[in-house]
Every structure is written in C-alpha cells, then in structure tokens.
Amino acid sequence: MKYFKYLTISVIAILIIFSCVLLDKSIAQNKLKFEISFSSAVHPKPITGRVFVMISRNNRREPRLQAGSWRRSVPFFGKDVNNLKPGEVVVIDENVLGYPPKSLKEIPAGKYYVQGLVNIYTEFHRSDGHVIWAHMDQWEGQQFNRSPGNLYSEVKYIYLDPDAGYTVKLNLDKVIPPIKLPKDTKWVRYIKIQSKLLTEFWGHPMYLGAVVLLPKGYDTHPDVYYPVHYYQGHFSLRPLHGFREGNKFYKVWTSENYPRMIGVTFQHPCPYFDDSYAVNSANCGPYGDAIMTELIPYIEEHFRIIRKPYARVLSGGSTGGWESLALQVFHPDFFGGTWPFCPDPIDFRYYILTNIYDDDNAFYKESGWMKLERPFMRDVHGQVLVTMRELSQMEAVLGTKGRSGQQLDIWQAVYGPIGEDGYPKPIWNKLTGEIDHEVAQYFKEHYDLCYYIKKNWSWLGPKLVGKIHIFCGDMDNYYLNEAVYELEKILENTKNPYYAGSFQYGRPRKGHGWSPYGWNSGELEKVMAEYITRIAPKGEDTSQWKY
C-alpha cells in the first residue's frame, strides 16, 4: 500500500510538472507577437490597408523583397487595418494567417531578419454605387512591397523562440519613393494618359499607358505610315521584346532589309492587378472600352500608324496571350490577326487543372478514397512546385476581399460578378477550396473564350478566318496547354467557314513562354509583316514600310 501511495504521488507530481510545461508553452505562444506602428512624421493621416511582417533567414535582399513569390516566398503574415492612426499599434500574433507557415508558432527557434510593411489602400466611390478600399497602383504594377508611398521598417536581426515567447516592435519609418519614369529616346516613346471612362467608373483619376517602339528611319521618312504590333503582357516600362541599345533585338530591329513596324506595349494596371485583362468587367470597369476608344486612338493619332484592320496585329504571352486572343475575338473587325502564346486559361474546364463547372473543390480531385491535390505550377519534368491550395493561402495572406494583387484574384475580379459588399464575389473559398457554381456560370457566359467562340461561330467565324495563330509548350508550367488543346479541337472542326489558322506546340518539355520564333529574335515580326502583306486589300502599298 505504501509503495502504491508513493507511486501515486509520483505520478501526480509528473502530471503537474507536465501540465505546467504545457501551460508555460501555451502562455509563451500567446506572447508570440509583433507590434507595428508608424509616426505622423512619415504619414500624418490615418491608414486603411494591410500590415505585414516578413521573416527571412538571410539578408541577401530586404525581407519585404523576398515575400509574396509563389515558389520562393519567405514566411510573411498579413492583417487588415482600418483608419489606423499614427502611433497606434497593430499586433500580428500566432492567430494571424501566414504563408508558407500558417502561424508564427510554426517558425522554428533561431535568428532571423524581420521587417514590417503596410500596403496603403485608397477609398474608391465607384459609379456603380459601391464604395471599396483597394491599393491604387502607382505605376509600379501592383507590387505591394515596392509601391511608392507604402511604409516599411528597418530590418532587425533577432532571435525568435516560439517556446519562450517574444514581442518584437517594428516602426514603419521609411517611405518607398516614387517611380522614376524613363525619358523618351530616339527609339522609344512613353505615353501615360488619364482615362475619362475609368476615372468616372472608379471615382478617382485612373490612367492608361503605352511604350512605343519606333522603327529605323521613322524620322527620316516622314511620309511613311506603318503597320502596328500591339503587344500585351504584365505591366512593364520596357519596350517590345526588351529592346535596348546593343542587345540582340536592337540589332535585329535596326538591321537593313528588316520590315519596319511600330511596336506598342500596352499598360493598364487596375486596383486588383498589374493588368486589367483588356476587357470590360463588372469589378474592374470599362477597361476594354477605354483601351479601344481612348488609348488606341490616342496612339494612332500621335504616331504614323496605318489605321486599318489589316495593319493592326496582336501578340502576347500568358496574361497577354489571353488578352491578345480576347481582343481579336471581341473586336474581330478592328484587328487583322493575333499570335497568342501560352495564354491564360481560355477554356474554364481547364482552369489550370480544375474544371470550375463540374468540380466541387478547386484544391483536390476525388478518386475513390483518395483526395488528389491539384497542382498550380510544375517544372518541365512534371515536378509540382506550387499547389492550388498553397497559392490560394498565399493570396489570402496578401489581401482579403480579392485584394491580393495576384493571379487567382484578378481572374475572379475580371471574370466574375460583384459581391454584395462591392468586392469580387469569390469563385472559391480561399481556405477550403469550395467552388461557387453560380459564379462559375457567370464566368462561362462572359469570359470563357472557347465557349464564346463555339457558341458564336455562325457570325463570328467569317470575321476570324486566318487570324488565329496560337503556340504553347507541351509542358507549360501552369498546364495552359490543356485549354489550348480544347480550342484547337473546336477550331479544327469548324465549317462554313473553316478557321484556317494555326496551332504549334513546343516538344518535348517546352515550358511557359515557349515560342517557335524566340522571344527577342525578331522572327515573329517578320512573320507578321509577311502576313500583313498577304492580306492587305487591293490597292494598298505595302512596299513603303519595307525600306
């Protein structure tokens, strides 16, 4: 009995000690926090936006510049703030969602470089009656960690221990400076104009722009008018194909016996992304009309462009691939042909690998007892690099209400309806993956290009004959070749008329961005010039721009 008594006492003591250890850990974890503030000296007005903490093992770059990448992001955590006043403290603790680790509790003990940042939002009183807060692009292309006016802190090198607990104070005492816009040169001209249509929609000054690349001899041949290559892509201040004096494309573009064209790269960032997708949409506003009735006319009035459909051609990759196909399809009488490559999903049965019409969840595919994770990105050998679940989590950390400024959020902003709160209605829950099929149906009826082309071929087909030329790698990193295959099936089966275009696939193991012409070789422009010459109406002098 005595032995049992002592044993019982020992067990109780062990349980008490164990409980104390657990309690100590619980208390410590509740004390895992960053306290972030700013002073009136750097920003005198209250801020509505999103506050972040970034944590890095190295200082090769500031932690803020290592956060937000799909594949290589350092841990970061984000929290909305509303009317945050100078001197007030924002707490980011273990309950704040992060990426890749979901909680500060998952950061192992060790020494880290840490930094704070706030992405400042603008209040928009839109013409549709909704009032929303979102980040106003400062001509940086919706890069939250580089956007002028955003505040950030010094980098601290400190020891973090989730078991011991910690409180780290970060003072946002630095301001990201304005973008230095390039100056015009002999070859390159920069355009930025305020859009009347977009300004009216957003209730705030909104801008469109373009980088115009001029051909050799433009100034010495004042009577010559030129075909135009309208290039689409993510926001960039670079001219077509990265043209700069001395590089490969410069040598081609300025060589003898090269067809002379004008190359125009569009710029149209919106409050949800670095690019509007060049169409009218409920959430982003009338970007399609603004580009077609404001930006293009401005360009064609200020430069000697042949203002006829046969001389206007399109191209672009990825986002720009979708846009260059959409502009041709939605404005078949205005443009003369398009060369999209690796376009974003043009058939929403392959929304990457999710079928948003038939699947119930974007994150996995059910197979008997198995739930197979859906990838978002792979390498050319098939190794999955990022899943749909992971990307959704990252976007949820970057911004609530579709304000991450990232890929999934701009798709739902462009393709989807407005929610009751004035923000884009989600196509799926960012944390569970559950798909809203009413939203998916809206996507289908408005922006599924395969569905639109097939549905309207009887009147659209005659306007598109010979105009569509698509190319894509067979191992596109985002599985975009799958939707391209579907469009090829549709178009190859067209009759009265037959589409008479082309599809090319890079094989084997050609990834995102593959082109049969090379990115900066100038070969695509040669193909375009030959095409323009062939389709030019009778009586058009196509020799004048081939000096």
Side-chain angles (χ1 to χ4, degrees):
M1 289 293 292
K2 185 181 289 188
Y3 173 78
F4 179 75
K5 178 180 178 180
Y6 289 140
L7 180 62
T8 303
I9 292 172
S10 299
V11 171
I12 293 172
I14 291 171
L15 290 175
I16 291 172
I17 293 170
F18 185 67
S19 298
C20 289
V21 170
L22 290 179
L23 181 60
D24 286 344
K25 285 192 174 183
S26 176
I27 292 172
Q29 287 173 348
N30 286 332
K31 291 183 178 177
L32 308 181
K33 62 181 179 180
F34 289 83
E35 294 183 348
I36 304 158
S37 61
F38 67 94
S39 73
S40 58
V42 293
H43 200 282
K45 296 181 179 180
I47 289 175
T48 293
R50 193 159 177 87
V51 171
F52 297 94
V53 168
M54 293 80 169
I55 302 172
S56 175
R57 292 191 177 103
N58 66 73
N59 67 342
R60 288 192 290 269
R61 291 186 299 161
E62 294 176 53
R64 68 183 171 97
L65 301 178
Q66 299 183 53
S69 168
W70 297 345
R71 291 180 53 197
R72 298 184 180 90
S73 179
V74 299
F76 71 105
F77 303 81
K79 184 177 183 178
D80 284 344
V81 293
N82 182 37
N83 200 38
L84 180 70
K85 297 177 179 59
E88 289 184 344
V89 173
V90 180
V91 175
I92 289 184
D93 59 21
E94 65 185 78
N95 298 311
V96 174
L97 183 67
Y99 179 85
K102 291 185 176 181
S103 171
L104 287 173
K105 293 185 294 186
E106 300 175 32
I107 302 292
K111 295 205 74 173
Y112 297 94
Y113 297 90
V114 301
Q115 190 173 29
L117 177 141
V118 61
N119 189 23
I120 299 174
Y121 291 167
T122 295
E123 185 177 28
F124 297 97
H125 292 257
R126 293 197 319 217
S127 62
D128 60 7
H130 291 293
V131 178
I132 72 163
W133 289 85
H135 179 69
M136 176 64 190
D137 186 83
Q138 303 297 312
W139 227 239
E140 87 287 350
Q142 282 295 354
Q143 300 297 315
F144 79 108
N145 50 7
R146 299 176 182 270
S147 183
N150 281 352
L151 312 181
Y152 65 102
S153 74
E154 287 276 10
V155 178
K156 287 188 174 183
Y157 188 51
I158 58 175
Y159 185 80
L160 302 179
D161 184 351
D163 289 339
Y166 51 79
T167 297
V168 180
K169 298 180 185 294
L170 297 174
N171 178 28
L172 308 180
D173 58 356
K174 299 183 180 300
V175 183
I176 300 175
I179 298 291
K180 292 183 180 179
L181 298 178
K183 294 182 179 179
D184 289 352
T185 70
K186 171 186 175 182
W187 300 102
V188 183
R189 309 292 164 81
Y190 297 89
I191 293 170
K192 186 177 181 180
I193 61 173
Q194 184 170 337
S195 165
K196 182 175 183 293
L197 290 173
L198 296 172
T199 297
E200 288 177 352
F201 176 82
W202 283 99
H204 188 280
M206 303 295 287
Y207 298 89
L208 298 169
V211 182
V212 180
L213 177 61
L214 300 176
K216 183 178 181 178
Y218 184 82
D219 293 330
T220 56
H221 294 73
D223 297 326
V224 175
Y225 282 71
Y226 301 86
V228 59
H229 173 192
Y230 285 120
Y231 180 83
Q232 296 277 8
H234 291 287
F235 182 92
S236 175
L237 294 172
R238 296 183 303 174
L240 182 69
H241 299 322
F243 174 97
R244 69 177 185 278
E245 292 198 31
N247 73 357
K248 179 179 178 181
F249 185 61
Y250 171 87
K251 294 175 182 177
V252 172
W253 187 258
T254 61
S255 63
E256 299 299 326
N257 302 316
Y258 187 78
R260 309 304 174 192
M261 303 175 70
I262 292 177
V264 177
T265 303
F266 288 142
Q267 297 164 325
H268 39 99
C270 76
Y272 288 110
F273 198 51
D274 75 341
D275 189 281
S276 73
Y277 276 67
V279 292
N280 297 338
S281 69
N283 290 290
C284 297
Y287 273 90
D289 289 345
I291 290 168
M292 295 299 298
T293 66
E294 294 177 332
L295 181 58
I296 289 178
Y298 182 93
I299 294 168
E300 296 191 351
E301 287 166 6
H302 286 77
F303 297 92
R304 297 194 308 276
I305 289 172
I306 300 171
R307 304 181 70 175
K308 297 180 180 180
Y310 83 93
R312 299 185 185 106
V313 292
L314 298 154
S315 83
S318 196
T319 289
W322 192 95
E323 291 170 332
S324 58
L325 180 60
L327 280 175
Q328 182 67 72
V329 168
F330 293 144
H331 306 280
D333 296 320
F334 188 82
F335 297 104
T338 187
W339 282 260
F341 55 100
C342 57
D344 281 1
I346 53 179
D347 187 321
F348 296 157
R349 293 172 297 175
Y350 281 101
Y351 202 76
I352 308 303
L353 287 185
T354 300
N355 183 329
I356 64 170
Y357 309 134
D358 295 341
D359 294 336
D360 293 323
N361 196 288
F363 293 171
Y364 58 81
K365 177 180 177 63
E366 292 197 38
S367 178
W369 290 83
M370 303 285 286
K371 288 185 176 180
L372 310 175
E373 283 289 311
R374 289 194 187 278
F376 179 81
M377 184 183 184
R378 63 181 172 182
D379 66 17
V380 296
H381 304 286
Q383 172 62 53
V384 175
L385 302 175
V386 178
T387 67
M388 193 70 86
R389 185 190 304 272
E390 290 167 336
L391 182 60
S392 295
Q393 178 188 333
M394 190 190 81
E395 293 198 11
V397 176
L398 281 169
T400 58
K401 301 181 183 296
R403 295 175 294 188
S404 71
Q406 287 286 326
Q407 192 63 74
L408 300 178
D409 276 344
I410 187 57
W411 286 345
Q412 72 179 20
V414 172
Y415 306 149
I418 302 172
E420 293 181 2
D421 60 0
Y423 297 92
K425 193 172 182 181
I427 179 64
W428 62 69
N429 184 301
K430 281 289 200 308
L431 300 182
T432 68
E434 182 181 357
I435 294 173
D436 185 329
H437 287 108
E438 288 186 8
V439 175
Q441 192 62 30
Y442 186 100
F443 277 34
K444 180 178 183 178
E445 294 297 333
H446 292 81
Y447 301 101
D448 185 320
L449 296 182
C450 278
Y451 175 78
Y452 180 86
I453 290 170
K454 185 175 182 179
K455 178 181 177 181
N456 296 292
W457 189 254
S458 61
W459 66 267
L460 180 61
K463 299 173 182 286
L464 293 179
V465 171
K467 292 183 177 182
I468 296 176
H469 307 275
I470 300 180
F471 33 100
C472 193
D474 71 330
M475 284 294 287
D476 184 274
N477 299 85
Y478 306 100
Y479 305 87
L480 300 175
N481 51 304
E482 297 298 332
V484 172
Y485 297 148
E486 296 302 316
L487 180 58
E488 183 181 25
K489 276 193 263 182
I490 291 170
L491 292 180
E492 284 295 344
N493 285 305
T494 53
K495 297 177 181 178
N496 301 318
Y498 175 64
Y499 87 106
S502 64
F503 286 79
Q504 295 186 65
Y505 299 99
R507 296 186 175 95
R509 295 177 177 169
K510 300 302 182 183
H512 194 62
W514 172 83
S515 163
Y517 308 112
W519 184 70
N520 60 359
S521 68
E523 290 302 310
L524 176 58
E525 283 68 31
K526 289 183 180 179
V527 170
M528 289 175 166
E530 292 172 2
Y531 171 86
I532 291 168
T533 302
R534 187 172 70 254
I535 69 166
K538 188 175 182 179
E540 291 288 322
D541 181 6
T542 61
S543 64
Q544 60 171 332
W545 45 271
K546 296 176 184 177
Y547 54 80

